[in-house]
Amino acid sequence: MLTLAASTRVFLHRGVVDFRKSHDGLAAVVRAELAQEPLSGALFVFINRRRDRVKLLQWDGNGLWLHYKRLERGTFRAITFEPRSNGFISRAELAMLLEGIDVRKGKIRQRFADTIRIPSREDSRAVDQQTRA
């Protein structure tokens, strides 16, 4: 089970990666092809050519973690990007990718507001006075 903080950014590498690469090789791919810093704490996702294996690379403050998953049957579904996208995906999309859920057939609903505004007491009093009138 992989648990990510809400602040963790996730980047999916668009192309295929030679899975003989390990920590340093994948960190070089992050710098060269994703134009990101591998020591930023973000999670970087790589898929092999046959799409039956995935590697996740992340810095935790002390060292690089490398998670590796190999499917016994089937393949990971491709995620489509906008033409100018930098490969950023949401944590929900990552979870669906790893669990085998086809993102193209499903619909991700916006459940929460992007920003939350908590009214002050003065705002609440003004609303109460308006509803009484």
Side-chain angles (χ1 to χ4, degrees):
M1 174 90 180
L2 182 65
T3 305
L4 299 174
S7 61
T8 302
R9 296 180 345 208
V10 181
F11 293 93
L12 177 64
H13 182 264
R14 290 183 189 201
V16 294
V17 175
D18 179 1
F19 263 42
R20 294 176 290 183
K21 292 182 186 283
S22 190
H23 301 79
D24 295 330
L26 293 175
V29 171
V30 168
R31 284 188 185 102
E33 296 181 27
L34 291 175
Q36 297 291 326
E37 178 55 43
L39 307 183
S40 66
L43 182 72
F44 301 96
V45 182
F46 303 92
I47 298 177
N48 69 339
R49 184 174 308 279
R50 292 185 302 188
R51 293 196 353 238
D52 63 345
R53 295 174 185 172
V54 65
K55 282 188 177 183
L56 309 174
L57 182 72
Q58 185 177 28
W59 175 259
D60 72 350
N62 290 326
L64 285 168
W65 279 94
L66 185 61
H67 303 275
Y68 182 50
K69 183 174 183 175
R70 180 187 74 197
L71 296 177
E72 295 300 319
R73 283 192 335 229
T75 59
F76 291 105
R77 291 287 182 191
I79 294 179
T80 57
F81 292 103
E82 294 179 14
R84 294 187 178 163
S85 172
N86 62 354
F88 178 77
I89 62 172
S90 69
R91 291 178 305 138
E93 288 173 315
L94 173 64
M96 287 187 279
L97 173 76
L98 294 176
E99 293 298 324
I101 299 170
D102 191 351
V103 178
R104 296 173 295 182
K105 293 182 180 177
K107 182 176 182 182
I108 300 173
R109 296 177 184 252
Q110 184 69 30
R111 293 188 177 185
F112 304 103
D114 291 337
T115 58
I116 298 175
R117 183 179 175 277
I118 301 173
S120 65
R121 288 187 177 199
E122 290 78 24
D123 291 342
S124 299
R125 289 182 192 143
V127 169
D128 289 341
Q129 290 175 355
Q130 290 175 354
T131 55
R132 290 181 191 162

